[in-house]
Amino acid sequence: MLVQLPRLTSSLREPFDIDQAYLQRKLILQSQKPRQSSSSVDESELARKIVYRWEEASVEVRQAYKQFTGAVVELIDGEVPSEEFREVALTVYHLFGRPEEEDNVETNIAGKKLEVQKLLGHAVSEANVRKVASLAQRLAGMQSSDKGTTLVSERPVNGTHDNVEFGADLVFHAPARFLVDVSLEDGELLVRKALEFLLHIMKDYIVAIVTKSSSQLSQDELAMAICRVLDSDKPGDEIAGVLLDLVGDSAFETVQDLVSHRKELVDAIHHGLLGLKSDKLSSSSQSRMPSYGTQVTVQTETERQIDKLRRKEEKRQRRGTEYGTDSELAAVNFSSLLQASERKNPVDDLLALGEGPQSLAVSALPQGTVRKHHKGYEEVIIPPTPTAQMKPGEKLIEITELDEFAQAAFRGYKSLNRIQSRIFHTVYYTNENILVCAPTGAGKTNIAMVSILHEIGQHFKDGYLHKDEFKIVYVAPMKALAAEVTSTFSHRLSPLNMTVRELTGDMQLSKNELEETQMIVTTPEKWDVITRKSSDMSLSMLVKLLIIDEVHLLNDDRGPVIEALVARTLRQVESTQTMIRIVGLSATLPNYLEVAQFLRVNPEAGLFFFDSSYRPVPLAQQYIGISEQNFTARIELQNEICYKKVVESLRQGYQAMVFVHSRKDTAKTAQKLVELARKFEGLEYFKNDEHPQFSLIQREVMKSRNKDLVALFEFGVGVHHAGMLRTDRGLTERLFSDGLLKGTQLYDPKAGGWRDLGMLDVMQIFGRAGRPQFDKSGEGIIITSHDKLAYYLRLLTSQLPIESQFISSLKDNLNAEVALGTVTNVKEACAWLGYTYLFIRMRLNPLVYGIGWDEVVADPSLSLKQRALIADAARALDKAKMMRFDEKSGNFYCTELGRIASHFYIQYSSVETYNEMLRRHMNETEVIDMVAHSSEFENIVVRDEEQNELETLVRSSCPLEVKGGPSNKHGKISILIQLYISRGSIDTFSLVSDAAYISASLARIMRALFEICLRKGWSEMSLFMLEYCKAVDRQVWPHQHPLRQFDRDLSAEIVRKLEERGADLDRLYEMQEKDIGALIRYAPGGRLVKQYLGYFPWIQLSATVSPITRTVLKVDLVITPDFIWKDRFHGTAQRWWILVEDSENDHIYHSELFTLTKRMAKGEPQKLSFTVPIFEPHPPQYYIRAVSDSWLGAEAFYTISFQNLALPEASTSHTELLDLKPLPVTSLGNSIYEALYKFSHFNPIQTQTFHVLYHTNNNVLLGAPTGSGKTISAELAMLRLFNTQPDMKVIYIAPLKAIVRERMNDWKKRLVSQLGKKMVEMTGDYTPDLMAILSADIIISTPEKWDGISRNWHSRAYVGLVILDEIHLLGADRGPILEQVIVSRMRYISSQTEREVRFVGLSTALANAGDLADWLGVGEIGLFNFKPSVRPVPLEVHIQGYPGKFYCPRMNSMNKPAYAAIGTHSPTKPVLIFVSSRRQTRLTALDLIQVGFKVILEL
């Protein structure tokens, strides 16, 4: 091994004009800057490497290049990562791109075919090889004609080029005198000595600097300052400047040496730090110190003081081990660093020297770890941790100790395991929140089961389980795990009659199913969506137990969802004062104390941490890092290592599982293992033909249609992936013992390419290693590249602290809370942020979240940072119109756009895109392109190897134009969207995954866009988007025949013929069966088509229109279903959008979702009533449309014509309130009457109406706002009657019994007793006898009662005055009684008896007071219709609408704004709140108390 010695000399430096060199270099680099293009394959690295001057290449050359890459895709079967594809394509081109002599063509192709097979690791067809060879030669030939040479290089090596920097094409080799050849073992020692030597040299430099300069820093302080600067992220020239500031200009050459050997010095510094860190780790079992990002510290005097404060703050608040370099350098001195470097063995350090983002320092590997070097790879073996011995007094909990009902869930178990037994008493006998950190496979599922049984036990009363009192929610990280948990718990809880259901993107539940379910198993995203909607609050209010599996995913990109869920649950607990228990299950993690704090777990009672010694089956781990650089050799070596490890397990009598990155790679790897077994004569280890049931199973396997499964069974090898049939997967699920992993990459479309396996993936795989009932230990092996070795070591030895990812989705989560109504201002938002894991980690580890130490010192609680985060997110949301942010008051106001984004889980960045791209009129291509720009798809990338297939798909499956073409990222997404609707098929694995990822989000994005258009009132665009929503749901294009939706019953041939003949649904309805049969030239098909036409949902519409005012119309719509209901097609209900649109102005004036149930469809026609506005000048007509929410082509419409519509008069006459002097009470001229009133003067309205009421017998209609004193005005008319006709009676008619009762109580105290009059009440509750009626002077009645009395009008001729209160109710349900019976009858009685009956009508302000006055017989003198604004006390009105179809959630969403309104408008005075029902008064009062209590708590 050649190791370079340290070189710290400047003796060979020649004179050099650095300024001239800098300018020259700048020009070169500017000319070399590549054009920016992230999505175009034309700019790809591969194209520039193969085609000389790619940017200037002709169309023919570009076409030849595409054909060549397409042939390479066919050759390798498209199943390698993009980076490896480029390597394969380059190698193949260089193999075949040279012209061949005719005699040697066959020989050369045969030889090169073997090289290709070795490169790919599997056999390739000769036809594919020949095709690639001919295309490579053609491409090379086309280029040779352009540039005169066949061999392609990126730039000329010999010769000059203006854009090539001198020396750029030279490979530097260190001079031989600086290299020493040593063995691998001696190399470790040499590296260690070299690192020590570097630090000592550095020390000598610093001694010299301090001696020569006037630096105020000591040697140690200066050394550590230099270490921090060298270890920063800044480029070399900046670092040189900072070092010169530190040490002075006199040490210029020393600084140059330090910078030129920066990498070696930094390695030496890290090496010394690892020694110190190892000592600290041995004295502390858990790291509580935070992980900091690298930060440059320039030691000026002021910052030194801040540095001191920081160190003091660290020591006081946190003790223990630190992760990260900068904070460690701040806490150590240089002399201790030197000592540590001398005594520390460099094994762990060398593991961390790989380049790239995974180059993390590894420390504290378990005792007994062995590191081996082999040719081309390195191996780290971590022995299994021995199982810890039972402690004195520790015993396993027997199942018989559980309650009788709980034992049913543990049928087949004798006792709980050690972990479950340790936790049992806390979980089963208390309500404590729980966090369990234990190794994968330690039986955490049973811990969840115990907590569920505890919750069930609390609802067992009198031997009966009250299932409607509670819900249990189990949040599983993946849909596959959710299905598995549902199956397990459903089976185990079935004896208790508990219903367990899955609620994920794959499994939807109806409202009834949710109500019937006691345990819901869901994913974080799905439960987030459910709890975001106020309509589902009734469900979340019933939740009593929330179990979160895999809590360590807080560190993952899905972590923010878990944080949002927990924060929402904790706030619900506090606001409602109800108990929701949280149980967190996690793998082992270093900072479990902070996760426990986040989940509100009491560390003394509910926190349980178990290390790997508690694993039921101890796990041995092997980490193999392949350092081989050559692609071919690397693949070959990887396969050989995999084979050796498999055989090693098989020799010991175990089975092995090999995990690979793709479906197709399963069979390829299996075939490679068999091939290697033949080569190394190891087939006997694989074969299992001596098994007693071998022949039986062989017959079963032979029935399978999976060729790979059948072929490989002979060798004892199976394949298993999600694309196989369930029966085939079942056959191979028996092969399970040790976890073996080949290749640490899998395909993840969300990440946009091949990514490293995450914590969850590896833990799931390693968790399958070892079966408790059969094995004493399991083994997990990772085979990866050498640069990622340290990453996996830290991952699996639990040294990666869990950080929050919440800031990345703060805008989306804040919008969700504002839409839900739980956050209404900045103060509440800061309180909400305080419930998140981000807030906990932000205070402990501020640097990771971009918070400098000066900010921490100035604001230790970080309340200002919290407020800044919230304010920035709110401003961004306000700019995107997702909410309104009033910066002055700090209040948030939700908008329809924000509510739609929250309900449909649309990202903030997508909403910004739609704001920019969505227009009132768009065509299909523009809409698909806009959807393709959604940020949900931003990680989809274009790959060379996909181009040919994408171009084929454009021609075969894309009826719409593709903007940008297949080589553009958005073009690719557009192709895959169209492909999904067209039901096309894909071959390339990466495209299959991308298509699946896009289709998972496509439906909700389309629905969100439809809702946005609907809320904007865009008629044409709303209908267009609804069509495409259904197109995505049904996978049928809107232009295709609607009967395609019966694709399972009607053959594709029949539908195709209907489309060719242009037979739309209307035409088919009119045709007979035989005519349809003749049309499609298939007689039996006619009857079939006619049958399914009957199932197609049709409805008939009819409507009547009544003008309420000149600007408001009331519409009564009648909906008549006209189809045969079949549950298979129509389910339990069909939903229809009812839209009223003005086609001239392209605007929707009314929209609502109407649900048609099976019972309604078979019963009477359904009626809907609603109001719509109408504007001047009147349009010719409005259209009422009923459009099915789920069926393409199911639509009905009705036209409302305005040609003969009679509207009320344009002018609404209001009585002006005159500026009169208020009349005194003495104007009554009667001391008895004057004594009735405690005030001295009448109000302005009473003053203006006084003369007509008190001095004339004219009929009066008084329209005035509530609270204007209309009742006293009516009393003036009564006093007039008592003066002029004392024998006549007053009839007071009020519409409500409550008003009758109020009037009785008022007049009994104030009027009747003082005037000596008699009064009777006539309501449904009380009916007086005839004598009481005859002797009474005042009769107070409801309309219905007076109707019954007045029918015998001949004996009722004693009525002199009729007072009609609230006469505006003529337009309501009880209008006919007032109209036809009372008023009309009393006027008839008056005309027949020749005794005038005076009418006084009391009303609010009316729009058509003149019409009402004419009907009542009120003349111009008696008509008073004051404006609504005429009030004795001025009224300010604020109207705020709340969406939501369901009453209870809608009322619930109003509570917080109501409380805020009280605080704003009447903080110190009494307040009246009106609600719509008796029950709601109590509910609203309780909610307001809770909101107020929470506000007081926060204050």
Side-chain angles (χ1 to χ4, degrees), residues 1-14:
M1 182 177 79
L2 293 176
V3 178
Q4 185 173 343
L5 290 173
R7 298 167 59 222
L8 300 174
T9 177
S10 59
S11 60
L12 301 176
R13 189 174 296 116
E14 294 179 3

Side-chain angles (χ1 to χ4, degrees), residues 1193-1350:
E1195 185 177 330
F1197 73 94
Y1198 181 86
T1199 307
I1200 305 173
S1201 176
F1202 295 146
Q1203 288 183 351
N1204 301 315
L1205 187 67
L1207 295 173
E1209 290 297 323
S1211 60
T1212 302
S1213 56
H1214 284 294
T1215 307
E1216 287 294 323
L1217 184 64
L1218 303 176
D1219 188 12
L1220 301 174
K1221 184 180 178 182
L1223 280 175
V1225 178
T1226 52
S1227 304
L1228 291 168
N1230 186 320
S1231 57
I1232 298 172
Y1233 294 168
E1234 290 167 22
L1236 297 174
Y1237 304 108
K1238 294 178 181 178
F1239 51 81
S1240 61
H1241 290 75
F1242 292 108
N1243 71 23
I1245 289 176
Q1246 293 159 358
T1247 298
Q1248 192 163 333
T1249 57
F1250 181 84
H1251 179 77
V1252 177
L1253 288 167
Y1254 192 67
H1255 292 296
T1256 73
N1257 287 325
N1258 291 339
N1259 291 346
V1260 174
L1261 174 61
L1262 175 56
T1266 306
S1268 303
K1270 294 194 292 289
T1271 304
I1272 289 174
S1273 300
E1275 289 174 10
L1276 294 176
M1278 290 167 61
L1279 297 177
R1280 164 79 182 173
L1281 183 71
F1282 295 153
N1283 279 341
T1284 57
Q1285 296 173 300
D1287 59 324
M1288 301 302 282
K1289 300 183 188 304
V1290 176
I1291 310 298
Y1292 176 91
I1293 298 172
L1296 302 172
K1297 286 191 286 184
I1299 297 177
V1300 171
R1301 178 67 58 191
E1302 182 188 341
R1303 193 58 50 238
M1304 283 289 294
N1305 293 337
D1306 177 29
W1307 284 350
K1308 192 179 287 182
K1309 293 175 187 174
R1310 194 170 54 79
L1311 205 71
V1312 177
S1313 57
Q1314 294 188 39
L1315 295 179
K1317 301 292 182 182
K1318 292 182 180 179
M1319 181 170 64
V1320 294
E1321 174 188 352
M1322 289 171 53
T1323 61
D1325 299 336
Y1326 180 75
T1327 305
D1329 57 26
L1330 186 58
M1331 290 306 295
I1333 293 172
L1334 292 172
S1335 62
D1337 299 296
I1338 303 170
I1339 300 170
I1340 301 180
S1341 173
T1342 55
E1344 290 83 0
K1345 277 292 177 183
W1346 183 248
D1347 175 28
I1349 294 291
S1350 63

Side-chain angles (χ1 to χ4, degrees), residues 1405-1462:
L1406 296 168
N1408 57 341
D1411 298 339
L1412 189 61
D1414 291 344
W1415 173 66
L1416 279 174
V1418 176
E1420 191 177 338
I1421 296 173
L1423 174 59
F1424 298 93
N1425 185 35
F1426 295 100
K1427 291 180 180 178
S1429 58
V1430 175
R1431 288 174 52 88
V1433 180
L1435 178 71
E1436 191 178 340
V1437 180
H1438 301 268
I1439 298 174
Q1440 197 170 342
Y1442 287 84
K1445 186 178 179 183
F1446 302 107
Y1447 175 79
C1448 289
R1450 190 169 65 245
M1451 293 300 292
N1452 193 49
S1453 65
M1454 295 180 189
N1455 294 327
K1456 210 161 191 179
Y1459 186 87
I1462 292 169

Side-chain angles (χ1 to χ4, degrees), residues 296-313:
V296 174
T297 308
V298 181
Q299 291 291 305
T300 62
E301 193 59 36
T302 310
E303 287 169 335
R304 275 188 65 203
Q305 295 301 321
I306 291 174
D307 199 34
K308 276 186 182 179
L309 285 170
R310 173 171 63 75
R311 288 201 295 271
K312 283 182 182 176
E313 190 76 5

Side-chain angles (χ1 to χ4, degrees), residues 346 463 508 546 577 618 639 758 781 784 931 1086 1116 1210 1214 1327 1423 1438 1457 1479:
Q508 304 292 338
L546 176 65
Q577 293 297 295
N639 285 328
I781 304 170
T784 183
V931 173
D1116 295 305
H1214 284 294
T1327 305
L1423 174 59
H1438 301 268
R1479 176 177 175 271

